[in-house]
Amino acid sequence: METLVSPNRPSGKDGKVKKVRSGASTSAHKALIARNLRLVYDEVAGEPVPERILELLAKMDKAEDRGRP
């Protein structure tokens, strides 16, 4: 699965990681999170439903049909 991350962490002149407080960076992080969530969802949504789940759904449908007058 492809993910979008920055290889560089923001750091100050002393080499320590600094806290980012700018609105632009916050927006960029939100966009990055949204993009990665879409990638994960698209990958999962494209997978077939497992056979066991289909069997359980069919059993539920049959049980529901038997309960109707």
Side-chain angles (χ1 to χ4, degrees), residues 38-59:
R38 284 188 195 100
L39 287 170
V40 170
Y41 176 79
D42 288 345
E43 184 175 309
V44 171
E47 293 179 5
V49 177
E51 188 64 34
R52 178 71 179 136
I53 300 296
L54 294 174
E55 291 169 2
L56 289 171
L57 290 171
K59 286 180 183 179

Side-chain angles (χ1 to χ4, degrees), residues 3-19:
T3 58
L4 302 174
V5 295
S6 172
N8 302 323
R9 297 184 70 189
S11 61
K13 291 180 183 177
D14 60 1
K16 293 182 181 178
V17 175
K18 65 180 180 179
K19 293 181 182 180

